[in-house]
């Protein structure tokens, strides 16, 4: 395989999908060497079969808003690869959603899920519906209308969706209700469900906690820990909130959080009480992060990212390409020692180069944020055996999975000078398992 040629060809066949091209380029450039050690892979054109999703569903979603207007949105489900288990991955509701973004996410998910050691393939879905400013009743009607199309393509052994941006416990609950009504079966087809109806303890916390467990492992390689470390977090949604919670628990200090309008900088640190306020503001009142600055009298910067503030650690937890080359140079100049991604592909390729050239600890999302889907996998297991595990048991399993992922990255990503290239490590480790499974299953 020649990674550059494969990429050019994909760009020609699937134009206008820049995020998908970006994700594919990152993986192919890091697995090329390992791939080419196995001539049997190229004989069966494994690379194209790995990059192009198995199938994509697209549908119109029609719903009625509170004023009685009939509205339409696009709905999608990308089933990328099921070589090692049923398709698995979240659903995103955000105005920016399009097919290219979901293809990048489903592609990434395939490698991430492989890394978790659990039997899950990769998929992703979503809609360009924006929950922002919508009433609870509108969100419910939209979720129901979305599921009216999606239900025929998913199932506990086929494809198991979950949450992502704009989709949390509320939306999963509404989608589950409609799925159950249509299929007349109570199965664990969605994860991230409420605790009363098959949800797993620690699933809401899992992505953020998992990212910090991974960060702890990275810091250990340099004889460091989180105590007293100043952290920049972007986002203020599910991942950002539980990332902050775990940082606080381990003695670190969180000085920023953000939303799509801007960021707050609190030099005294966002403590437990202030984090509770943010959780209530975001999860209950669905307010703006600006309101934090008004309440606690700290700095709010509209229309900007937090990466210019001085800190030891950066934890991007909002969205793709939110941290560019200039931001990365600023972080490095300010003495950042580690960047661990809660979001999917938040750093641009240029930013990643800057981190790696500076030899700081840098973990890509597919390794660092795999805790979320891991606990989703554990939720599937609990649903299958019709039992629920304790908080402690799930948390222990999560810790051990994140440790294993870190070890896999070290094994496949350590460079001759000892620097751990976590991007290469995660991609090669994730790829090898999927590749072997595909080889064993023939040309399908
Ligand atoms: P939420 O919807 O709970 O929160 C998203 C946060 O990011 C909000 O603060 C939101 O601001 C902000 N945001 C969203 N889009 C943009 C944008 N275009 N520009 C700036 N800020 C933006 O989502 P999650 O916390 O679940 O997801 C965050 C990231 O983590 C995503 O990349 C997701 O793919 C990834 N992830 C999520 C997992 C999960 O289990 N939920 C698992 C693994 C990864 P606003 O409120 O203004 O919209
Ligand atoms: O990006 C992700 O890993 C998620 N949004 C979670 C997917 C899942 O199935 O829990």
């Amino acid at each position: 395989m020649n990674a550059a040629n494969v990429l050019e060809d994909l760009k020609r066949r699937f134009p206008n999908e820049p995020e998908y091209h970006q994700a594919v380029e990152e993986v192919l450039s890091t697995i090329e060497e390992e791939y080419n050690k196995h001539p049997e892979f190229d004989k069966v054109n494994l690379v194209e079969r790995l990059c192009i999703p198995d199938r994509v569903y697209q549908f119109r979603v029609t719903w009625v808003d509170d004023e009685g207007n009939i509205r339409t949105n696009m709905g999608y489900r990308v089933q990328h690869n099921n070589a090692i288990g049923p398709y698995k991955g979240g659903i995103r509701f955000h105005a920016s959603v399009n097919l290219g973004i979901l293809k990048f996410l489903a592609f990434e998910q395939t490698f991430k899920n492989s890394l978790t050691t659990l039997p899950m393939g990769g998929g992703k879905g979503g809609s360009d519906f924006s929950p922002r400013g919508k009433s609870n009743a509108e969100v419910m009607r939209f979720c129901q209308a979305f599921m009216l199309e999606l239900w025929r393509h998913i199932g506990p052994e086929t494809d198991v969706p979950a949450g992502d941006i704009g989709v949390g416990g509320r939306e999963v609950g509404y989608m589950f209700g409609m799925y159950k009504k249509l299929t007349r079966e109570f199965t664990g087809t969605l994860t991230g469900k409420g605790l009363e109806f098959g949800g797993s303890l620690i699933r809401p916390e899992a992505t953020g906690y998992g990212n910090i467990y991974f960060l702890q492992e990275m810091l250990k390689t340099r004889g460091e820990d989180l105590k007293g470390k100043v952290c920049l977090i972007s986002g203020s949604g599910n991942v950002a909130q539980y990332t902050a919670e775990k940082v606080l628990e381990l003695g670190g200090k969180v000085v920023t959080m953000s939303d799509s309008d801007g960021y707050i900088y609190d030099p005294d640190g966002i403590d437990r009480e202030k984090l509770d306020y943010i959780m209530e503001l975001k999860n209950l009142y669905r307010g703006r992060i600006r309101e934090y600055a008004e309440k606690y009298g700290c700095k709010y910067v509209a229309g900007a990212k937090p990466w210019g503030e001085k800190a030891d650690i950066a934890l991007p937890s909002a969205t793709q390409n939110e941290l560019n080359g200039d931001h990365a140079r600023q972080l490095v100049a300010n003495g950042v020692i580690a960047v661990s991604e809660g979001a999917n592909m938040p750093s641009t390729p240029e930013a990643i180069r800057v981190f790696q050239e500076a030899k700081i600890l840098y973990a890509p999302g597919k390794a660092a944020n795999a805790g979320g889907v891991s606990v989703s996998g554990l939720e599937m297991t609990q649903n299958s055996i019709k039992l629920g595990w304790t908080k402690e048991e799930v948390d222990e399993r999560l810790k051990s999975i994140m440790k294993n992922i870190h070890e896999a990255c070290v094994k496949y990503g350590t460079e001759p000078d000892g620097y751990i290239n976590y991007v290469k490590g995660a991609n090669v480790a994730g790829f090898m398992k999927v590749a072997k499974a595909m080889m064993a299953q023939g040309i399908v």
Side-chain angles (χ1 to χ4, degrees):
M1 165 250 303
N2 175 310
N5 292 349
V6 175
L7 186 71
E8 274 321 300
D9 197 47
L10 289 176
K11 282 184 178 169
R12 185 184 55 76
R13 293 165 72 187
F14 309 105
N16 308 318
E17 296 179 355
E19 293 86 0
Y20 170 61
H21 305 153
Q22 182 182 335
V24 169
E25 180 164 20
E26 186 218 270
V27 170
L28 294 192
S29 64
T30 50
I31 65 166
E32 188 172 15
E33 195 187 329
E34 191 61 34
Y35 184 100
N36 287 332
K37 286 184 193 159
H38 299 267
E40 69 276 17
F41 289 171
D42 235 21
K43 275 202 190 122
V44 295
N45 195 5
L46 196 78
V47 63
E48 281 188 27
R49 292 162 56 210
L50 191 75
C51 291
I52 302 173
D54 288 353
R55 67 189 68 77
V56 175
Y57 296 106
Q58 284 195 52
F59 43 89
R60 188 189 71 245
V61 183
T62 308
W63 57 284
V64 185
D65 71 19
D66 286 348
E67 280 75 49
N69 302 306
I70 295 162
R71 311 269 295 256
T72 63
N73 284 98
M74 281 308 295
Y76 309 86
R77 185 72 183 168
V78 178
Q79 296 184 336
H80 189 85
N81 185 296
N82 65 351
I84 62 173
Y87 303 106
K88 178 87 195 87
I91 290 180
R92 177 177 292 193
F93 291 165
H94 192 268
S96 63
V97 164
N98 58 40
L99 184 56
I101 289 183
L102 296 177
K103 277 174 68 180
F104 118 64
L105 289 162
F107 175 81
E108 287 277 292
Q109 196 82 45
T110 299
F111 299 94
K112 183 196 303 192
N113 293 2
S114 167
L115 282 171
T116 65
T117 68
L118 302 174
M120 301 182 290
K124 202 86 184 190
S127 172
D128 57 1
F129 170 81
S130 169
R132 191 165 169 177
K134 303 289 190 299
S135 72
N136 193 50
E138 287 175 324
V139 169
M140 181 178 77
R141 288 197 295 274
F142 178 79
C143 289
Q144 293 175 337
F146 182 81
M147 193 46 85
L148 211 45
E149 280 291 331
L150 184 67
W151 74 278
R152 37 183 116 247
H153 310 303
I154 60 177
E157 313 296 342
T158 313
D159 184 351
V160 183
D164 192 78
I165 291 178
V167 177
R170 175 180 65 165
E171 291 74 17
V172 168
Y174 292 150
M175 285 193 273
F176 183 78
M178 194 55 162
Y179 180 80
K180 188 171 59 79
K181 195 172 179 72
L182 290 163
T183 57
R184 295 179 297 145
E185 274 175 3
F186 193 110
T187 58
T189 298
L190 286 125
T191 60
K193 298 183 290 298
L195 290 179
E196 305 78 8
F197 52 100
S200 175
L201 287 161
I202 303 286
R203 177 61 190 90
E205 294 87 347
T207 313
Y209 281 16
N211 187 16
I212 299 307
Y213 296 151
F214 194 90
L215 173 67
Q216 280 186 300
E217 293 301 311
M218 288 206 293
L219 289 172
K220 251 193 244 167
T221 67
R222 305 251 171 125
E224 292 272 10
D225 62 28
L226 257 162
K227 267 197 205 75
K229 298 287 187 305
V230 176
C231 300
L232 306 178
I233 295 181
S234 64
S236 48
N238 171 270
V239 177
Q241 291 172 16
Y242 290 104
T243 300
E245 182 167 290
K246 191 50 85 176
V247 168
L248 294 189
E249 209 181 295
L250 295 171
K253 184 173 174 183
V254 177
V255 291
T256 67
M257 284 178 89
S258 71
D259 60 23
S260 46
D261 296 338
Y263 77 90
I264 51 121
Y265 175 69
D266 185 344
D268 299 332
I270 300 169
D271 60 18
R272 181 70 246 186
E273 187 199 317
K274 292 172 176 173
L275 181 59
D276 285 341
Y277 168 78
I278 291 178
M279 287 179 165
E280 205 173 294
L281 175 72
K282 285 290 171 183
N283 309 344
L284 233 57
Y285 304 113
R286 305 197 183 255
R288 309 308 304 160
I289 201 71
R290 172 181 34 81
E291 295 166 52
Y292 176 102
E294 287 157 12
K295 182 170 167 71
Y296 293 108
C298 73
K299 178 167 96 173
Y300 170 70
V301 188
K305 315 282 182 206
W307 314 126
E309 304 294 346
K310 193 168 164 41
D312 305 303
I313 291 166
L315 302 162
S317 309
T319 194
Q320 65 275 359
N321 293 327
E322 56 166 318
L323 197 167
N324 63 27
D326 289 336
H327 297 134
R329 278 182 283 275
Q330 259 177 314
L331 286 169
V332 170
N334 280 339
V336 143
I337 59 166
V339 179
S340 199
E341 296 183 342
N344 285 307
M345 208 169 74
S347 306
T348 63
E350 189 189 349
I352 297 174
R353 268 195 302 279
V354 171
F355 296 144
Q356 293 184 331
E357 276 164 24
K359 306 260 174 199
I360 66 163
L361 297 167
Y362 165 70
K366 69 168 75 67
N369 73 34
V373 75
S374 298
V375 175
S376 277
L378 301 178
E379 183 170 323
M380 288 166 72
T381 307
Q382 294 170 79
N383 292 166
S384 294
I385 60 174
K386 296 183 163 49
L387 282 175
W389 294 330
T390 63
K391 200 167 85 194
E392 290 72 23
E393 180 152 8
V394 179
D395 200 27
E396 267 319 301
R397 285 179 192 268
L398 171 63
K399 270 185 201 153
S400 120
I401 288 170
M402 298 316 294
K403 228 176 142 148
N404 285 338
I405 297 176
H406 185 269
E407 274 167 25
C409 291
V410 171
K411 178 171 170 201
Y412 289 100
T414 303
E415 295 185 334
D417 65 356
Y419 178 66
I420 304 164
N421 183 336
Y422 287 91
V423 178
K424 183 176 178 200
N427 288 340
V428 173
F431 161 75
M432 281 310 285
K433 184 171 161 189
V434 177
K436 284 180 185 165
M438 287 174 73
M439 291 300 293
Q441 292 170 27
I443 316 288
V444 285

